[in-house]
Amino acid sequence: MLHPDNHNPARPAVDFNPYGPGHDVNPYPVYEKLRAESPIAWWAQNRAWLVSRYDDIIAVLRDTKRFTSDRNEWELAAVAGTATQIPELAEMNRQSLLSVGNQDHVRLRKLISPALTPRAIERLRPDIQAIVDEILDSVRAKGTVNVVTDIADHIPARVIGSMLSMPKGREALFQRFTEAVVKTFIPALVRPEDLPGLRADIREGMVLIRETIEDRRRNPMENDILTTLIQTEEQGDKLNTQELLSLVSGLIVGGFETTIHLIGFTVFHLLTQPGLLAQVKAEPELLKGVIDEVLRFDHFGKMGIARYALEDVELGGQQIKKGQMLLLMLGSGLRDESAFDKAEVFDVRRTTNASIAFGHGAHYCIGASLARLEVQIAVGTLIQRFPELKLTQAPSFGPHPVIRRMETLELRLRPE
């Protein structure tokens, strides 16, 4: 992580320590104080502005002329950016939707979108259902399970691997690769002692992805997303190997830990919100509303998403300098009473379209449909097969640089 600096334009009125005791369990009192007292606050420890109010977050996300997701625009990119700390990741993400400038983002998204439409993702339903069924079969004989490690951890890597038709027998390597990509999403927050192992996993994973891309060029497959991406053409423009590699990285970041934690948090709220499980059993379609409300009410992101100022900007009364990082605190914005009526109430029938859980506008997460489908199938099938499941204890959380990482969520599958 970065060391504190002396540049402190707006000291927060509350201490912000996302790694302190209890923060992962309940960060919302801290978010509330930030919104009320220091909505645009300088976080000296990691040289970034914390943006905690919904309207400010939306303003930054919409303003693609003055803010960018391109990490190369960060003022500290030369000393603490991806290229310095994890050059392998910098190479892989050179053309990523998550990090390129706005003009390149539009071009890449136009080429990628046809392969990831809700209709295209829906075709994956039988494969996802088969993966979930196999995982639940493997835990059926157990009296109790940890939803995270026994179920959720095994789904997204296998789904993404199935989407890309990754070679059989390479699942463990692909799993390590996906975990390393997510943990290094904001390199400045990675502990130095973790870097060597993460870099090694990324290097090996990149070789695997490149080999798979080249094999698919030689041997295209029918109804295969990677083949579709390779063959997609827009006015003579195609995705090159580097762009395809970056796209796979983006799919992992957008669809891996997102899915794991959304499964865990959704199961947790189903079993702790009074009467909710009974409602979903009676109205299975209500599960979609449950997932959306979990994303809003209890967002698993710890740090939000990063943007970088392309010029000096005034925001919420604070002067943002060109090149400075802004961390858009989605978990805080989604609990902002000015944007959501009774924001502190968990309401699965909420009809607002204001959620920014998957981003907003041109940078709305292109993998959102995939994540939702995986969670609907995983949680819906779990409830169907084990209708009497019960939570045995409160969840526990483990260390992670950018996510409120639920580590254990223990359930009893059937009455003793």
Side-chain angles (χ1 to χ4, degrees):
M1 298 180 190
L2 292 174
H3 294 294
D5 69 332
N6 295 322
H7 178 49
N8 192 19
R11 180 179 295 278
V14 294
D15 291 330
F16 182 71
N17 179 13
Y19 313 111
H23 182 89
D24 286 334
V25 176
N26 183 17
Y28 299 104
V30 173
Y31 292 163
E32 186 177 0
K33 293 197 81 171
L34 279 172
R35 290 195 303 273
E37 301 172 11
S38 299
I40 311 290
W42 181 252
W43 184 26
Q45 181 181 355
N46 279 293
R47 297 291 297 272
W49 292 94
L50 304 177
V51 183
S52 55
R53 286 183 183 168
Y54 180 89
D55 286 345
D56 292 327
I57 293 171
I58 284 287
V60 173
L61 289 173
R62 287 177 175 168
D63 191 347
T64 57
K65 291 184 178 179
R66 298 191 298 173
F67 300 99
T68 181
S69 59
D70 186 351
R71 298 169 186 169
N72 294 316
E73 298 293 337
W74 184 29
E75 62 179 346
L76 298 177
V79 294
T82 309
T84 302
Q85 295 199 216
I86 313 170
E88 296 85 357
L89 190 66
E91 179 190 350
M92 184 169 64
N93 286 335
R94 200 182 310 140
Q95 296 295 323
S96 171
L97 279 173
L98 299 169
S99 58
V100 295
N102 298 320
Q103 188 172 349
D104 286 333
H105 184 276
V106 171
R107 170 188 162 269
L108 289 172
R109 197 175 183 100
K110 187 179 292 186
L111 285 166
I112 292 165
S113 293
L116 295 173
T117 61
R119 180 177 293 182
I121 294 301
E122 180 63 28
R123 289 198 291 268
L124 296 170
R125 181 181 289 273
D127 291 341
I128 297 173
Q129 185 68 63
I131 289 168
V132 169
D133 286 341
E134 183 181 329
I135 291 168
L136 293 183
D137 284 343
S138 71
V139 302
R140 183 174 51 193
K142 294 186 176 184
T144 60
V145 296
N146 178 354
V147 170
V148 180
T149 57
D150 291 332
I151 299 172
D153 272 355
H154 302 284
I155 295 174
R158 288 186 59 180
V159 169
I160 296 172
S162 176
M163 281 176 64
L164 302 174
S165 301
M166 298 299 294
K168 297 293 183 184
R170 310 298 291 279
E171 292 86 358
L173 168 57
F174 190 69
Q175 179 98 13
R176 294 199 309 274
F177 172 63
T178 55
E179 290 174 355
V181 169
V182 172
K183 287 180 179 177
T184 53
F185 182 51
I186 302 180
L189 302 181
V190 178
R191 297 183 305 178
E193 60 268 30
D194 293 336
L195 280 173
L198 293 171
R199 289 182 61 182
D201 289 339
I202 289 172
R203 276 196 300 272
E204 290 185 56
M206 285 175 64
V207 171
L208 173 62
I209 302 300
R210 286 184 185 278
E211 289 175 350
T212 304
I213 290 170
E214 294 312 313
D215 178 73
R216 206 60 43 81
R217 288 191 195 278
R218 295 189 299 269
N219 305 294
M221 300 173 65
E222 192 174 352
N223 295 323
D224 172 67
I225 283 181
L226 188 52
T227 299
T228 301
L229 289 167
I230 289 170
Q231 295 177 345
T232 295
E233 187 170 345
E234 174 73 22
Q235 296 180 344
D237 189 17
K238 286 190 172 186
L239 295 165
N240 59 40
T241 298
Q242 179 60 53
E243 289 166 343
L244 287 164
L245 185 66
S246 295
L247 172 61
V248 172
S249 171
L251 278 173
I252 291 167
V253 171
F256 185 71
E257 292 259 6
T258 299
T259 306
I260 291 173
H261 295 289
L262 188 49
I263 290 171
F265 278 65
T266 299
V267 171
F268 172 72
H269 283 285
L270 270 175
L271 298 180
T272 55
Q273 297 289 339
L276 183 57
L277 183 58
Q279 288 182 61
V280 172
K281 286 178 182 177
E283 301 176 65
E285 282 299 304
L286 194 59
L287 184 56
K288 294 178 181 178
V290 173
I291 293 168
D292 285 342
E293 185 65 347
V294 168
L295 282 164
R296 185 204 68 81
F297 180 82
D298 200 11
H299 198 273
F300 47 79
K302 185 178 333 202
M303 303 309 310
I305 53 179
R307 290 293 183 270
Y308 308 91
L310 292 170
E311 59 186 65
D312 291 354
V313 181
E314 188 275 332
L315 182 69
Q318 298 294 347
Q319 297 300 315
I320 313 296
K321 298 296 184 182
K322 178 182 178 181
Q324 289 186 330
M325 181 193 296
L326 297 88
L327 291 174
L328 310 181
M329 312 295 287
L330 300 184
S332 174
L334 290 163
R335 284 286 197 104
D336 192 335
E337 290 281 358
S338 70
F340 300 93
D341 183 45
K342 298 180 180 176
E344 299 302 310
V345 175
F346 189 92
D347 180 3
V348 298
R349 301 186 191 274
R350 196 179 288 273
T351 56
T352 180
N353 292 318
S355 180
I356 50 174
F358 283 110
H360 178 79
H363 285 264
Y364 183 80
C365 177
I366 203 164
S369 295
L370 175 62
R372 281 194 171 98
L373 181 61
E374 288 181 70
V375 178
Q376 286 173 29
I377 293 173
V379 178
T381 307
L382 179 67
I383 294 169
Q384 183 182 30
R385 292 183 58 170
F386 305 103
E388 297 179 282
L389 52 83
K390 299 287 184 184
L391 189 67
T392 63
Q393 59 188 30
S396 67
F397 292 78
H400 196 286
V402 296
I403 287 173
R404 294 168 56 212
R405 181 175 178 268
M406 189 179 286
E407 203 164 54
T408 63
L409 182 66
E410 191 173 281
L411 305 182
R412 188 167 60 245
L413 296 178
R414 56 185 65 83
E416 292 180 335

